[in-house]
Amino acid sequence: MIKISLNNQSLFNIKSECLILPCLEDTKPSALLKEVDRALNGAITTAFNNKRFGGKPSQTLLLHGGKPFKAENILLVGVGPHKEISPEKLRLASGTAAKVAEKSNFKSASVFLDTLDKTKKTLSDNDLASSIAEGFGLALYHFDHYKSADKEAPSRLQKLVLNSASRTPQSNLKKGIKQAEIIISAVHSARDLVSHPGNTATPTFLANHARKMARKNKITCKVLGKKEMTKLGMGALLGVSRGSHEAPALIVLEYFGTAKSKAPTVIVGKGVTFDTGGISLKPSAGMDEMKMDMSGAATTLATLQAVSSLKLPINVVGIVGAVENMPGGSAIKPGDILKSMSGKTIEVLNTDAEGRLVLADALTYAGRYKPKEVIDLATLTGAVLMALGHQGAAVIGTDPDMITRLKKAGDATGERVWEMPLWEEFEKAVKSDIADLKNIASPGVGAGTITAAAFLKAFAGDQPWTHIDIAGTAWGAEKPYTTKGASGYGVRLLLQYLTQAK
Ligand code: BES
Ligand code: MN
Ligand code: ZN
């Protein structure tokens, strides 16, 4: 992971391989850029005049530095107009710059923050430093756990210095960097978990990861195995697990940042470590991607990691239902009826709608904590990709205020959510003729993302509850500050939600 530090040098004293200057959008260079321009013999004015650079988002301009600079190269990156500046705009610009610097094989870079002095009133020092650091660190994620070392490859960009001469004292900049480091590390741990293939990231692997993470972070961790879950009557979760040789696990993490008497927020994650579909087998094309079906679990574990590192003054419990969905000889079959921990019976009409079976028992277990609120995250339906693509997750729940706050957190972090309606017709559509519920809706109902949520609602308890369908956002969304593959979606959204004032 990138090392980030802080300095207070003025523009011409910054010694760096690559000096990054974030630039607000304008028709002509700012006073500070004019100084840079003079030192570079008018290179910036020329770029402005030729419309090659004007501070627009995603624009970059890489120039040679040297005397009178102590920097070898100068990289201008656009952040957009002053009145639209936000932490998300800065993350995007910083991620863009990070990728250019990485492609240019620079080993270290510095960002000069004082080109953004105009934003001093609207952007706190903390937000400025954390968003720039975050965008930079997140953009440089690589998963090369399984690649043999390449001796020819140049070493990676691994040092970032934030530089400000004008923002003093620097304590809030420093806080922002600390915060960003914790967030980057958590998001990267979620992305690692999702990137590992199904033959590594089994339910047992997730449980071991959770145990280790909990030990490091002073969280309590409990893992229930098949025996304990059988005792609790978790027939729905165990039903999914029956076709697999991998042992199931219910992972429970408890973080107390305030009085234990205060009801916790419970986060529940779908941890299907590989989803073949079971007897309702999926087609082979693209099935490999179903290693990401534990993204909800990864986000849950990573969020608890960050909540604890940030020492948030709240209580949070994380619950992960970890199973593998395979079509083995003991697998459940279409038509089978399972009895869930809640006592409700479920007619399984499609073994590929397994996530809701796992979540049913995990949500019931969550009720034991008498939670203040419950949020579940799951790569639950392909239908959400039809509705929102990779651009946002669907939220469906019982508490409008909670959803409003999640939306706000989504806009702030760029991990957007969009509400879908839980109309009662959809709840009727998952009632079974011969059991209490069926795991897929009646034919012709449509709205696959909502009917899945309607099923979950039967197990969600009476406290405020929101379901987040991350099937479209957990994987394959490329942004300036994320790479292809696992996105770690939801960690920053939940952290923002948990920290933002009510
Ligand atoms: N894990 C899948 C959903 C999914 C699809 C995640 C695409 C990521 C990308 C889930 O278990 C599933 O198979 N859902 C079915 C439900 C259907 C059988 C009602 C689906 O969406 O097709
Ligand atoms: Mn499935
Ligand atoms: Zn699934």
Side-chain angles (χ1 to χ4, degrees), residues 49-72:
N49 290 343
N50 294 344
K51 308 253 182 297
R52 283 200 298 121
F53 187 85
K56 290 194 167 62
S58 87
Q59 279 185 332
T60 58
L61 182 68
L62 181 59
L63 302 162
H64 283 294
K67 272 191 177 161
F69 294 97
K70 288 196 178 132
E72 293 162 39

Side-chain angles (χ1 to χ4, degrees), residues 50-118:
N50 294 344
K51 308 253 182 297
R52 283 200 298 121
F53 187 85
K56 290 194 167 62
S58 87
Q59 279 185 332
T60 58
L61 182 68
L62 181 59
L63 302 162
H64 283 294
K67 272 191 177 161
F69 294 97
K70 288 196 178 132
E72 293 162 39
N73 298 280
I74 313 280
L75 174 59
L76 271 56
V77 61
V79 298
H82 175 219
K83 55 181 192 314
E84 286 171 25
I85 198 91
S86 66
E88 177 64 4
K89 287 270 156 55
L90 290 174
R91 268 190 295 270
L92 291 165
S94 183
T96 302
K99 286 187 181 168
V100 172
E102 178 174 61
K103 264 217 183 99
S104 313
N105 283 333
F106 298 140
K107 310 292 173 283
S108 63
S110 294
V111 180
F112 189 55
L113 301 176
D114 298 353
T115 50
L116 298 172
D117 273 356
K118 219 176 154 183

Side-chain angles (χ1 to χ4, degrees), residues 12-24:
F12 291 100
N13 283 320
I14 300 170
K15 217 177 142 193
S16 178
E17 234 186 309
C18 175
L19 172 59
I20 297 168
L21 304 177
C23 300
L24 294 167

